[in-house]
Amino acid sequence: MVDPTWNGGISETRRVIDLAQTYNIPATIHDCTGPLTLFSGLHLAASSTNVVFQETVRAHIRSFYDKLVDTLPVIEQGKARLPRDRVWERGCGGVVPARREFLPAQRGEKVT
């Protein structure tokens, strides 16, 4: 079980998942630290063939995750759907300006 927050970030988690896949070991994603970790885990799971579960805490999703971000994943019958909108830019409050500092403008925008 890999947690993107405690494991060293998305890139390191990706490496652990790939290493597990090399040895045909299924991986699971852990989430107890917040909605950004949940979204990171869901995207890692969606891009990996050997991730079998994404752990969530229903009490967290139902009680305070919606106070931290505008959009939550839809979970129906034990399956989570990835959001179709731009969650990272729209619902993460102060994270967006920091993100823009690290990524070059991709649509001809001026980075300030």
Side-chain angles (χ1 to χ4, degrees):
M1 182 175 280
V2 186
D3 186 312
T5 300
W6 293 103
N7 193 55
I10 295 171
S11 298
E12 189 63 27
T13 302
R14 176 87 241 172
R15 289 183 194 99
V16 171
I17 291 169
D18 290 344
L19 181 63
Q21 187 169 3
T22 301
Y23 293 98
N24 201 27
I25 297 172
T28 59
I29 308 289
H30 179 258
D31 166 51
C32 276
T33 55
L36 298 181
T37 301
L38 175 59
F39 282 119
S40 300
L42 288 173
H43 282 279
L44 287 162
S47 66
S48 305
T49 58
N50 68 318
V51 174
V52 293
F53 293 108
Q54 163 68 57
E55 183 236 10
T56 63
V57 179
R58 287 178 292 194
H60 291 182
I61 292 172
R62 293 177 182 165
S63 63
F64 71 91
Y65 276 17
D66 64 339
K67 293 170 181 58
L68 302 173
V69 293
D70 295 334
T71 304
L72 291 173
V74 176
I75 301 173
E76 295 174 335
Q77 298 179 355
K79 296 182 180 180
R81 285 187 281 152
L82 291 174
R84 295 188 181 268
D85 63 349
R86 298 174 77 154
V87 156
W88 298 109
E89 291 183 13
R90 196 167 75 66
C92 297
V95 173
V96 177
R99 177 185 178 273
R100 290 183 183 242
E101 290 174 14
F102 295 108
L103 293 177
Q106 296 176 353
R107 295 179 295 276
E109 299 171 352
K110 183 178 179 183
V111 178
T112 56

